[in-house]
Amino acid sequence: MLHEILLSLSGHPSPLLRNDHSDPAASALISPPERQLLTTAAHLSELHCNLREQSKRISSAHPSAVCRAVSTTIVADHLASFQRKIIEVEDGILRKDAALVGAYNIVPLTAVIGQFSDWTRRLEWLWELVKFMAADKGKEDRLPCQAARLIDRLRDALQTGYADIAETAQSLLQVAETSWLKQVSTWVLYGRKPSVGGYDFFIREDDEEEHGYKIDNDLLPRFVTPSTAASMLFIGISINRARSKAYSDFGAADLSHVSTQHQELARLSSPLNSVIFSRTITSIRYTLSRTTLQKLLPLVKVQETLKVLREFFLMGRGEFAIALVQQADEKMRSRWRRADNLAYENRNALSTVVVKEGEVSAVLARTWAFLGSMQSEHADEDESLELARDILRLHVTKSTETTPAQGHRLTSNKTLESIVPTPFFNLLFSVPVTLTMQIQSPLDLFLTHSDLQIYTAINSYLLSLRRAHLRLTDLWKITSLRRQHPPPPRAPYGNTKHGILKTRLLRERSSLRSSIMRSTWSTSSAAIFFFGETEAYLQVEVVEGLWSHFQSWLNGSCESSRHTAAAAEDEVPSAARPNHDPQTLSIAHRQYLSALTRRLLLTQEAFTAPLHDLLLQIDQLIALVHRLHGVWVAADLEADEGVVDAFSNLDAEERDVRAQLRGVERRVKFGIEDVISALRRLSLDPEFAAEMEGDEGSSTEGESGDGLDGGEDSEAVGRYRPHRVGGIDRLLMKLDFGDWFGSAGEDNGTG
């Protein structure tokens, strides 16, 4: 019987232990205590058989390399240890060990089964673990066990309070984490995904992503922080890029540090500590930055690109905005003139006025030509202008891309999603047009398409304000509207009777028109004041303030960056400071864009919606002024030169234009008042104040998918914190129109 029990415990099925003792004659031979002991032995035997069978199945067929390694360890170590325990008990019986053999060579069944009391809980726990790894349960919608969940379960088992379970879990966790680290090392050291058993690796290939890879957070163990995962993604992509054919000149010399980094990973002990693991990945990233990335993406190249973005997207180069607005207006005027010159039956407003892609590109080309002619006066060559000419593009946006956040199917970017859908890009032409830039590799390691979309949205917003300001000031260039034109006749004809009558006629005409235009000039002057102060606030205080601080941090001259970096000099080499690390640069750049977007009020539709309406009314005001000027020019030709247009009624058209002009003037006043009221409401909104306060904090900057939560590594080397700039109270103090709004409903001009 003892031999049968030991064989059964070794994994061989035994009728003795599997019999339910339903036969009364057979049952009478076994006492109830013995039956209970045999039940315990049968339970251990069944656990052993099931564990061995299921573990072998997992080791041979499971898609996860980590699960296969753990199941193999269960068989090779723990079940083998159980088998050795059986042999040890058998050896003790044969040697007549007093612990097992009593008087008259009797071997108590209690003593034999008692030798395996420590194994019952352990085998039961192993069986639950094996069932967890099998995990499909016959359901099509349930995937096999994944490495991250297995590691998390083993780490949780360390805290159960049972020493034997903790010891078993520790040994299996070491195997699981070692196997997982091998997959990680394949990615962070060689830029390749695991070729075997990597179905549950947290880096996924995705053609819709900007770099072709993404992080699957469901496949990350809990001890890996989002910032660490983002660093691993960046490291692998960078090495993968360095190994590509386009950069084949980065040979083995650039990867000579691999052995050192491999030793750093090998020194990690199980259970992996989140902070130590994060520091190791950060060290690998810094080493990569000092070696391969210094050649692949030097800091100078990043600074050149940032300078282009500042000068052309953020309106740092004012002449570019002026030239672009002028060329766009000239294109629109030529389109309308072409439509007016067509025969009536051949006119089609949609086909003749809508600007096409080629014409938009031609506008940008003429803008470059204009800027080039200005630069030709100087001996030195403008490198930023040449670079911008190569990479900047102006193109018509498709109707499906009307919202900035809808323009690309890329990784979620909270800053981009927070931008309001107010269509400022519709104002430059009669179709949605955006300024974009070609992101050439390897610059895409630092600048993403979602970042560029934020720049595009900011550019459309700032350019629309600059355009309205420029077009309003251009009204003063229409000489005949500002003063008497043509002038009175000179002597001697001016002293004659006809000359005096002519002079009187011209003065009466000029006086009447000046009276008609008085309210228009007043409204236009108020609008110019509004746009001048608003632009000064947005451009000087917000854009330039944030850019100067970000540039100082980038160059290492920022006070906070200098202080924190000095404190960490002993831990991090000077060449590995954040302004030389592309990922740290990328994170800081996105924090800069996030602060810039909020400070420009592009996240507040309560402000951008009335502002957009005001810009539309400004365009209508300018169009009516030009139309009224055209009517008066035609009337002067008819009255002075006898040039008569038989198909037009100038008096009726003038009355119609003047009536429309008065209505638009009132709407412009109301529009300015609405925008200022929106600013006042925002200044009193505690949620808006809290959002602005978030510029200097870390929580509001966090985007876990992009690693913006600022892990331990970023704190150690001088994390970028956006500078507090602006404050709409400062703008509101300047936008004081006195009692002008009180007369918004009155008609101040001559009807």
Side-chain angles (χ1 to χ4, degrees):
M1 182 176 177
L2 290 177
H3 182 69
E4 189 74 13
I5 292 175
L6 294 177
L7 283 176
S8 179
L9 291 176
S10 299
H12 302 281
S14 171
L16 175 65
L17 299 184
R18 298 181 184 276
N19 193 342
D20 59 359
H21 310 290
S22 58
D23 185 1
S27 180
L29 299 176
I30 303 176
S31 65
E34 290 177 330
R35 188 179 301 116
Q36 185 63 38
L37 291 173
L38 290 177
T39 301
T40 302
H43 180 54
L44 288 173
S45 174
E46 183 180 8
L47 286 174
H48 189 187
C49 293
N50 292 339
L51 278 171
R52 187 174 297 277
E53 179 183 358
Q54 193 66 264
S55 297
K56 289 181 178 179
R57 185 179 298 114
I58 293 174
S59 299
S60 61
H62 202 285
S64 172
V66 176
C67 291
R68 293 202 303 268
V70 170
S71 65
T72 301
T73 304
I74 290 175
V75 175
D77 291 351
H78 299 284
L79 294 187
S81 178
F82 182 66
Q83 187 70 43
R84 287 194 297 271
K85 180 63 176 179
I86 297 173
I87 297 174
E88 178 184 337
V89 171
E90 184 179 15
D91 181 65
I93 294 173
L94 295 176
R95 289 187 293 101
K96 298 181 180 181
D97 189 345
L100 292 170
V101 181
Y104 305 106
N105 293 329
I106 296 175
V107 181
L109 187 58
T110 304
V112 175
I113 301 301
Q115 293 293 318
F116 301 98
S117 59
D118 295 339
W119 281 93
T120 303
R121 182 172 54 238
R122 188 180 305 182
L123 292 181
E124 288 175 345
W125 181 84
L126 287 173
W127 175 235
E128 292 297 325
L129 182 66
V130 168
K131 289 194 297 183
F132 176 77
M133 287 191 289
D136 61 352
K137 304 286 187 182
K139 297 180 180 179
E140 295 181 358
D141 59 342
R142 187 168 181 180
L143 295 175
C145 176
Q146 297 164 341
R149 304 288 74 81
L150 176 59
I151 292 175
D152 292 340
R153 185 183 179 97
L154 292 174
R155 292 173 73 92
D156 292 340
L158 298 178
Q159 312 299 325
T160 59
Y162 296 104
D164 54 346
I165 298 297
E167 181 183 354
T168 305
Q170 173 61 45
S171 65
L172 295 179
L173 178 62
Q174 183 175 2
V175 173
E177 289 184 338
T178 301
S179 179
W180 184 79
L181 277 178
K182 289 180 180 179
Q183 295 181 337
V184 171
S185 63
T186 302
W187 175 256
V188 300
L189 299 183
Y190 305 101
R192 302 189 183 101
K193 287 187 60 180
S195 57
V196 178
Y199 103 99
D200 55 352
F201 189 55
F202 65 93
I203 301 295
R204 295 292 198 184
E205 294 184 13
D206 193 336
D207 294 336
E208 294 184 0
E209 293 295 317
E210 301 179 31
H211 300 297
Y213 296 93
K214 70 174 184 179
I215 297 175
D216 189 340
N217 292 315
D218 293 335
L219 301 178
L220 274 175
R222 287 198 298 263
F223 72 87
V224 181
T225 63
S227 60
T228 305
S231 292
M232 288 190 286
L233 176 64
F234 173 80
I235 292 169
I237 291 174
S238 301
I239 298 176
N240 187 282
R241 189 66 50 80
R243 287 180 173 276
S244 64
K245 294 181 180 179
Y247 303 100
S248 57
D249 53 330
F250 294 95
D254 295 295
L255 299 177
S256 57
H257 56 278
V258 167
S259 60
T260 303
Q261 296 177 345
H262 194 280
Q263 293 175 3
E264 292 185 24
L265 290 173
R267 282 196 296 266
L268 295 175
S269 60
S270 181
L272 294 176
N273 181 275
S274 179
V275 175
I276 296 176
F277 180 71
S278 177
R279 289 176 178 172
T280 302
I281 296 299
T282 302
S283 175
I284 293 175
R285 194 182 81 211
Y286 286 152
T287 303
L288 179 67
S289 176
R290 292 194 305 268
T291 54
T292 303
L293 295 187
Q294 280 292 343
K295 298 179 180 179
L296 186 63
L297 184 62
L299 181 62
V300 175
K301 190 175 183 67
V302 173
Q303 290 176 323
E304 289 177 354
T305 304
L306 288 174
K307 185 177 180 182
V308 170
L309 292 170
R310 169 67 181 100
E311 291 186 350
F312 295 93
F313 281 85
L314 301 184
M315 315 292 290
R317 189 183 287 255
E319 61 270 22
F320 172 74
I322 295 174
L324 184 59
V325 170
Q326 290 176 345
Q327 294 299 328
D329 286 348
E330 179 59 33
K331 170 55 66 176
M332 295 304 298
R333 284 193 294 268
S334 66
R335 296 286 290 181
W336 282 110
R337 285 195 298 267
R338 187 183 307 172
D340 291 339
N341 292 334
L342 292 176
Y344 179 80
E345 60 274 10
N346 293 331
R347 293 181 182 180
N348 186 326
L350 291 177
S351 63
T352 57
V353 177
V354 174
V355 179
K356 298 180 176 60
E357 183 76 33
E359 294 173 314
V360 171
S361 300
V363 166
L364 184 60
R366 287 194 294 271
T367 302
W368 294 133
F370 175 78
L371 294 178
S373 64
M374 295 178 59
Q375 293 297 324
S376 63
E377 301 176 1
H378 306 281
D380 57 335
E381 183 180 358
D382 192 336
E383 296 181 358
S384 296
L385 180 61
E386 295 301 319
L387 179 59
R389 191 196 304 268
D390 293 336
I391 62 178
L392 262 59
R393 298 292 182 268
L394 192 68
H395 71 89
V396 178
T397 305
K398 297 179 181 179
S399 58
T400 57
E401 300 177 6
T402 54
T403 303
Q406 296 175 349
H408 211 284
R409 301 178 299 167
L410 298 176
T411 306
S412 176
N413 187 308
K414 291 185 179 180
T415 302
L416 181 60
E417 293 172 354
S418 67
I419 296 178
V420 296
T422 308
F424 290 104
F425 42 75
N426 286 338
L427 298 174
L428 187 60
F429 291 93
S430 60
V431 294
V433 173
T434 56
L435 183 69
T436 61
M437 184 179 75
Q438 292 180 332
I439 304 179
Q440 300 173 346
S441 184
L443 195 62
D444 54 354
L445 293 175
F446 161 75
L447 186 67
T448 65
H449 287 284
S450 56
D451 297 337
L452 187 58
Q453 284 181 284
I454 297 174
Y455 274 108
T456 296
I458 295 175
N459 175 259
S460 300
Y461 169 64
L462 296 178
L463 187 62
S464 63
L465 295 176
R466 180 67 59 85
R467 174 179 176 270
H469 195 178
L470 290 173
R471 298 190 74 203
L472 283 170
T473 56
D474 284 345
L475 292 179
W476 269 258
K477 297 180 182 179
I478 308 177
T479 305
S480 59
L481 292 179
R482 291 190 298 106
R483 59 186 182 183
Q484 184 176 341
H485 184 82
R490 298 179 180 179
Y493 176 73
N495 296 329
T496 63
K497 180 179 179 179
H498 293 288
I500 293 174
L501 293 176
K502 180 72 172 179
T503 300
R504 185 178 303 162
L505 176 65
L506 292 177
R507 286 178 178 173
E508 290 176 353
R509 180 193 299 170
S510 176
S511 177
L512 176 62
R513 292 179 179 176
S514 296
S515 177
I516 293 172
M517 290 295 296
R518 184 174 295 117
S519 63
T520 302
W521 292 126
S522 174
T523 303
S524 300
S525 298
I528 288 176
F529 171 76
F530 169 80
F531 285 115
E533 294 299 331
T534 303
E535 277 197 283
Y537 168 77
L538 296 178
Q539 287 286 352
V540 178
E541 295 197 31
V542 176
V543 177
E544 181 59 30
L546 279 172
W547 166 254
S548 299
H549 182 263
F550 179 65
Q551 188 76 2
S552 299
W553 177 87
L554 188 67
N555 295 327
S557 57
C558 179
E559 189 66 29
S560 61
S561 174
R562 209 167 43 236
H563 172 74
T564 324
E569 262 185 1
D570 296 335
E571 299 180 12
V572 181
S574 59
R577 291 183 180 179
N579 55 345
H580 293 88
D581 176 22
Q583 190 196 17
T584 305
L585 277 176
S586 179
I587 293 174
H589 179 242
R590 293 183 187 181
Q591 291 176 328
Y592 159 74
L593 282 181
S594 178
L596 181 62
T597 302
R598 290 196 300 271
R599 289 291 176 177
L600 288 176
L601 306 179
L602 264 177
T603 60
Q604 304 297 324
E605 192 168 9
F607 169 76
T608 59
L611 178 61
H612 182 264
D613 293 339
L614 174 62
L615 293 172
L616 293 178
Q617 298 302 326
I618 293 293
D619 280 351
Q620 190 172 0
L621 174 69
I622 295 170
L624 288 173
V625 170
H626 282 284
R627 183 180 172 191
L628 182 61
H629 174 251
V631 171
W632 282 345
V633 170
D636 292 345
L637 286 175
E638 182 176 334
D640 300 339
E641 306 297 338
V643 179
V644 179
D645 186 355
F647 297 98
S648 62
N649 186 341
L650 297 179
D651 292 337
E653 186 175 358
E654 180 181 353
R655 288 193 299 271
D656 178 59
V657 173
R658 287 168 58 183
Q660 294 185 51
L661 192 58
R662 296 297 170 260
V664 172
E665 290 171 7
R666 287 192 293 271
R667 290 195 293 273
V668 168
K669 289 183 180 181
F670 289 135
I672 295 176
E673 185 178 16
D674 289 343
V675 174
I676 296 177
S677 298
L679 288 174
R680 288 198 181 99
R681 288 192 295 271
L682 285 177
S683 67
L684 301 175
D685 187 358
E687 293 184 3
F688 174 76
E691 184 179 352
M692 293 300 103
E693 289 294 331
D695 286 350
E696 294 186 349
S698 59
S699 60
T700 57
E701 302 296 341
E703 294 185 17
S704 59
D706 296 327
L708 296 184
D709 61 338
E712 302 81 358
D713 52 296
S714 60
E715 288 292 336
V717 294
R719 177 185 174 198
Y720 169 74
R721 295 179 181 273
H723 187 51
R724 177 178 291 182
V725 297
I728 56 177
D729 290 337
R730 299 164 61 90
L731 176 60
L732 284 170
M733 286 190 297
K734 298 178 181 179
L735 295 178
D736 185 5
F737 284 86
D739 60 351
W740 185 62
F741 292 130
S743 61
E746 302 176 2
D747 189 357
N748 297 329
T750 302

